[in-house]
Amino acid sequence: MAHEVTFIPGDGTGPELAEATRRVLEATGVAFHWDVQQAGIDEYESSGDPFPPATLASLKRTSVGIKGPTTTPVGSGFRSVNVLLRKELDLYACVRPCKAYAGVRTRFPETDIVIIRENTEDLYAGIEFEQGTPENARVRELLEELGSHVREDSGISIKPISVFGSERIVEHAFAYAKRHGRRKVTAVHKANIMKFTDGLFLQVAREVATRHPEIEFEDRIVDNLTNQLVSRPEEYDVLVLPNLYGDIVSDLAAGMIGGLGFAGGANIGTHAAVFEATHGSAPKYKGLNRVNPTALMLSGVYLLEHLEETDAAHRLERAIAEVIRKGEKVTYDLKEDRNDPTAVGTSQFADAVIEEMGA
Ligand code: NAD
């Protein structure tokens, strides 16, 4: 039976990347029924809503989607589609595998890690009190009463970390490790300084680890982890982190595998899972058939894994890796010289992957 999947092309270079990804997914032989839905700046300009109710309804119905990047205008306009998606579908886990493929220029060729970032809590919860406002004064008064002095000219952001939020993200990390044959989970924190937030995260992580004795568990303080990641990346496997550290370490890891062009990912929630590249809509290349589809295609690999189409997932990943290793039919960013005239376009990269799967 065909898998029904919500398909959101996005905007900027999103539609080209999404089309390339749709083609390689179909070439695996797995049957899909795509429910095409819109989101992003083009949709905002035509209907006045960047994230129409039909798109959300489709994701709630199918519970799985693949999405091209969407532009968020700076300063004005509308709220980020990605933030809305995360909130509406409670996409609490951001999963980003970071593997250095042969043929990609990187100083860290041994890197093969998976970052599991908590997506809903921490300093990103949006609990902020602007400097100079009456609300800020009330928070400072309360803090004074509780014995903590905060300078009058301060802005204040609150960092909530709960047992519930920590438990479900760490459980997710262990479930991921088991499902993907990974050997170790490392919990990352700053519990030595923030005892009641990161300390709680660590305590919960240790408790969860006792339920999964077959997977090795360790923890690292975040500053030490960043140091170790770039000196001994091969020692790390699955990392589970609260929101802020997860955000930062994700980009570090993407840099270690050759850049955002290779970082696919998934946002997994209680109601749905949405697969998408880490990079943005690269609007300057819109319609030029130029940009690298690897990150969204790899997100397609993770979609296949999620749908338990394991064999197809392996075949697609192998084909992508092989096209990159050969380095012939690849986009400009994968060439030694970015002006190399032998570079191919987004669509021809997809053709090469399809050809490789049939080889
Ligand atoms: P970007 O990721 O679009 O681009 C950063 C740089 O990387 C640019 O030089 C771009 O040309 C290059 N690049 C990006 N993807 C590439 C690819 N596949 N192949 C080759 N080169 C690639 O980041 P930005 O310019 O900061 O953001 C553009 C828009 O995308 C913004 O509106 C931002 O809000 C949005 N955005 C969306 C998502 C998402 O939908 N998940 C994520 C990040 C940013």
Side-chain angles (χ1 to χ4, degrees):
M1 216 175 67
H3 295 284
E4 189 167 24
V5 176
T6 303
F7 183 86
I8 306 171
D11 61 46
T13 55
E16 306 157 46
L17 296 167
E19 178 58 15
T21 302
R22 184 189 62 74
R23 290 203 293 119
V24 298
L25 282 169
E26 286 179 356
T28 62
V30 171
F32 291 97
H33 171 70
W34 305 109
D35 183 12
V36 180
Q37 297 290 339
Q38 301 303 325
I41 199 160
D42 298 341
E43 180 60 20
Y44 175 71
E45 282 165 4
S46 66
S47 75
D49 186 352
F51 186 48
T55 304
L56 181 61
S58 169
L59 282 166
K60 284 191 173 162
R61 191 172 53 76
T62 64
S63 73
V64 58
I66 185 149
K67 172 183 168 292
T70 44
T71 303
T72 308
V74 179
S76 64
F78 53 81
R79 287 188 69 198
S80 154
V81 169
N82 299 311
V83 171
L84 291 170
L85 264 173
R86 198 174 305 158
K87 282 223 148 86
E88 291 289 343
L89 296 169
D90 191 26
L91 302 175
Y92 66 87
C94 178
V95 178
R96 188 189 290 178
C98 288
K99 179 164 157 182
Y101 289 98
V104 175
R105 279 183 301 281
T106 165
R107 294 182 190 165
F108 308 97
E110 310 86 2
T111 312
D112 182 6
I113 58 182
V114 180
I115 306 226
I116 302 203
R117 165 187 171 193
E118 204 288 325
N119 243 348
T120 65
E121 301 197 322
D122 198 351
L123 282 164
Y124 290 22
I127 311 171
E128 299 205 284
F129 300 93
E130 188 180 356
Q131 181 258 328
T133 61
E135 291 79 13
N136 178 298
R138 279 176 65 191
V139 173
R140 280 186 295 102
E141 263 166 44
L142 177 63
L143 290 173
E144 200 73 46
E145 252 178 71
L146 297 173
S148 296
H149 176 69
V150 174
R151 283 191 196 97
E152 199 181 328
D153 55 358
S154 304
I156 300 171
S157 298
I158 305 271
K159 170 174 165 134
I161 288 197
S162 69
V163 171
F164 172 81
S166 304
E167 187 169 5
R168 73 174 172 173
I169 196 70
V170 180
E171 279 290 2
H172 192 89
F174 277 99
Y176 183 98
K178 274 187 207 171
R179 200 167 157 197
H180 293 82
R182 297 273 177 168
R183 71 194 149 84
K184 180 166 81 171
V185 170
T186 306
V188 183
H189 59 85
K190 190 82 187 173
N192 51 334
I193 305 294
M194 284 163 281
K195 297 187 193 307
F196 303 136
T197 48
D198 287 26
L200 185 64
F201 178 81
L202 176 58
Q203 182 195 323
V204 171
R206 284 180 172 149
E207 276 166 28
V208 171
T210 62
R211 296 175 211 153
H212 305 281
E214 65 281 30
I215 305 281
E216 197 185 326
F217 174 77
E218 63 180 14
D219 71 276
R220 288 282 181 277
I221 293 175
V222 63
D223 39 351
N224 180 27
L225 175 86
T226 51
N227 178 313
Q228 295 209 1
L229 266 187
V230 294
S231 39
R232 295 197 294 276
E234 67 283 0
E235 286 185 13
Y236 291 91
D237 195 352
V238 175
L239 305 179
V240 60
L241 312 91
N243 210 337
L244 174 63
Y245 311 139
D247 192 5
I248 298 166
V249 174
S250 286
D251 267 35
L252 170 70
M256 290 169 67
I257 59 164
L260 289 175
F262 301 94
N267 286 301
I268 313 262
T270 42
H271 308 304
V274 180
F275 295 81
E276 66 175 338
T278 301
H279 61 70
S281 54
K284 69 180 173 190
Y285 294 121
K286 178 180 177 171
L288 299 181
N289 187 37
R290 226 170 149 229
V291 291
N292 180 356
T294 301
L296 196 54
M297 286 185 185
L298 287 173
S299 308
V301 170
Y302 314 143
L303 165 73
L304 287 168
E305 286 171 354
H306 181 80
L307 297 172
E308 301 192 341
E309 297 284 1
T310 316
D311 174 58
H314 284 154
R315 280 187 292 116
L316 178 54
E317 187 186 7
R318 261 202 309 271
I320 297 168
E322 206 40 28
V323 171
I324 294 174
R325 190 191 62 75
K326 288 180 181 166
E328 290 157 9
K329 297 173 188 168
V330 293
T331 42
Y332 71 96
D333 57 311
L334 277 168
K335 295 284 186 183
E336 217 33 59
D337 168 8
R338 287 168 80 93
N339 297 314
D340 186 333
T342 66
V344 303
T346 310
S347 173
Q348 291 69 35
F349 193 130
D351 293 341
V353 171
I354 293 168
E355 200 178 300
E356 193 64 51
M357 269 194 287

